[in-house]
Amino acid sequence: MTIVPASRRAFIKSSAAVTAGLVLSPAIVGRAEAATLKLKCSSSLPNDPKFANGRVYYDNLVKNLKGNGLGEQVEVAFFPDNQLGQEIDVINSVKLGVIDLMVSGSSISANLVPLVGTYDLGFLFSSFPQQTKAFDAGAAKPIEDALLKGGNIRIIAWAYNFGSRSVLAKKPVKTPEDLAGLKIRTLPNPVITECLRLMGAAATPLAFGEIYTALQAGVLDGLEHDPPTILASKFFETAKFYALTQHNFSPLAIYFSDMTYNRMDPKLREGFLDAAKKAAVDTRAHGLAVEKEALAALTEKGVTVAECDREAFKKRVAPQIENFIKARPESKAVIDIIRATQA
């Protein structure tokens, strides 16, 4: 189990050595001798073993690798807290095979393959269990195929972000009118940005690692994210009103470089993928349980958690889905499956 300390300065200082290590890694070159397979896993979230989905997934992966008898054959180094760069840089590094694994929402890969943005459409999913049923019914494969073809990235499995995305702001938000003029951070993703704009906000795309200081400086009036992430990243220190818009049930993706996949020994790869899929299932269960706990913790820390006029927001966002289908007709089959799936 290797968790790299979150020292940005130390990481930058040793970047040349890291690059050399990647080039010479047996995972990349595939040496003939029996050597430990070394992989690198990235997450933008803090190194929190309870409320940060990247760390939770990593711990489950290590556990399941040991359970499959691969604890000595596969070593995964975990880099939390944007240590390997902002997410847009990391997803491109996964594409190129420089980074092996990335735990992040589906949204970031829509920058490489726009069809993935289907999952970011506002109010498309009704819950995470409904999402899983829709994926099992066929709503995942077209997206996975498109990402592999267009981005050289495989989806090992889909997990859950730790709760639906809602709006945390510096003032109460109950209606679309309350959002008017508020600079709300969104992922650097056009679909989510459009969703928040339709909801009434001055949607402001920004890298995850820049959120806290932007809130402090008044560049942002709030953000949209799930409760555990808000807790783990301490965003509650700068904004105290959490409106349960639940506009997006963003799936958590376990991204795997196709280059790494193809360079792995087939027998070892089979055991690794089995462990990685089991880890995603374990992470789903944890995510469902921890959302309520995080909401309670936020309340204890002075955040006002409140219901809002969710139907008013949903009505405002409704045109987004039809406009997306017009722009990307291939998304219709996926959307139809999701809409037809009951929780």
Side-chain angles (χ1 to χ4, degrees):
M1 179 175 178
T2 304
I3 300 175
V4 182
S7 172
R8 187 74 173 172
R9 183 178 297 174
F11 175 75
I12 293 173
K13 185 176 180 181
S14 63
S15 60
V18 172
T19 301
L22 285 167
V23 172
L24 298 176
S25 167
I28 303 302
V29 178
R31 292 176 179 171
E33 67 266 25
T36 301
L37 175 65
K38 296 184 178 181
L39 303 176
K40 289 181 168 58
C41 178
S42 175
S43 170
S44 66
L45 298 189
N47 190 30
D48 188 314
K50 187 172 187 178
F51 293 114
N53 56 46
R55 172 63 191 276
V56 170
Y57 177 79
Y58 171 74
D59 287 345
N60 284 325
L61 176 60
V62 170
K63 177 190 71 176
N64 282 290
L65 284 172
K66 291 179 179 178
N68 281 6
L70 300 178
E72 301 298 322
Q73 294 176 262
V74 180
E75 179 182 324
V76 183
F78 181 55
F79 295 84
D81 209 23
N82 289 307
Q83 288 185 62
L84 299 184
Q86 299 295 339
E87 286 189 307
I88 188 63
D89 301 315
V90 173
I91 195 71
N92 276 290
S93 293
V94 175
K95 175 181 179 179
L96 297 173
V98 177
I99 296 172
D100 307 292
L101 289 158
M102 179 184 186
V103 182
S104 183
S106 60
S107 309
I108 195 64
S109 59
N111 292 286
L112 298 181
V113 179
L115 184 62
V116 184
T118 303
Y119 296 156
D120 297 322
L121 292 166
F123 301 96
L124 177 63
F125 297 104
S126 61
S127 69
F128 281 117
Q130 182 255 352
Q131 180 184 98
T132 297
K133 288 183 180 180
F135 283 5
D136 290 344
K141 191 174 188 307
I143 303 296
E144 293 170 358
D145 291 346
L147 188 58
L148 180 57
K149 182 179 179 180
N152 296 320
I153 296 173
R154 292 176 177 269
I155 298 292
I156 290 180
W158 298 100
Y160 298 155
N161 271 298
F162 291 176
S164 56
R165 300 178 80 97
S166 290
V167 174
L168 179 74
K170 295 181 179 181
K171 57 171 282 188
V173 172
K174 291 188 177 182
T175 68
E177 289 72 27
D178 293 331
L179 266 182
L182 295 187
K183 298 183 292 292
I184 302 298
R185 180 268 179 179
T186 72
L187 281 154
N189 171 297
V191 179
I192 288 186
T193 300
E194 176 68 2
C195 174
L196 267 292
R197 187 192 69 78
L198 290 171
M199 287 170 64
T204 307
L206 193 70
F208 187 87
E210 300 173 18
I211 297 174
Y212 191 93
T213 53
L215 286 166
Q216 278 185 318
V219 175
L220 293 175
D221 298 309
L223 69 145
E224 48 89 46
H225 226 303
D226 61 77
T229 298
I230 289 169
L231 184 64
S233 302
K234 299 185 178 180
F235 297 140
F236 61 84
E237 294 178 347
T238 56
K240 295 292 186 181
F241 298 93
Y242 194 48
L244 297 175
T245 56
Q246 297 181 312
H247 54 273
N248 186 292
F249 287 84
S250 174
L252 185 68
I254 313 303
Y255 296 109
F256 188 40
S257 172
D258 190 48
M259 295 183 71
T260 304
Y261 175 92
N262 288 319
R263 289 166 179 164
M264 289 177 71
D265 176 86
K267 291 183 179 179
L268 188 61
R269 182 172 65 203
E270 182 180 349
F272 169 78
L273 292 176
D274 179 71
K277 290 174 182 177
K278 289 176 181 175
V281 174
D282 293 340
T283 304
R284 286 181 189 173
H286 180 92
L288 290 177
V290 83
E291 179 182 13
K292 292 181 179 179
E293 189 172 343
L295 282 171
L298 287 172
T299 300
E300 292 175 1
K301 293 181 181 296
V303 175
T304 299
V305 178
E307 298 291 338
C308 61
D309 190 348
R310 193 167 178 267
E311 285 304 313
F313 287 112
K314 187 174 181 180
K315 185 176 180 180
R316 290 276 297 262
V317 175
Q320 185 185 35
I321 292 179
E322 299 311 317
N323 290 336
F324 191 86
I325 291 173
K326 288 178 182 178
R328 303 196 178 280
E330 65 273 29
S331 69
K332 186 178 186 303
V334 174
I335 291 170
D336 285 347
I337 293 172
I338 295 170
R339 283 174 158 175
T341 303
Q342 299 298 316

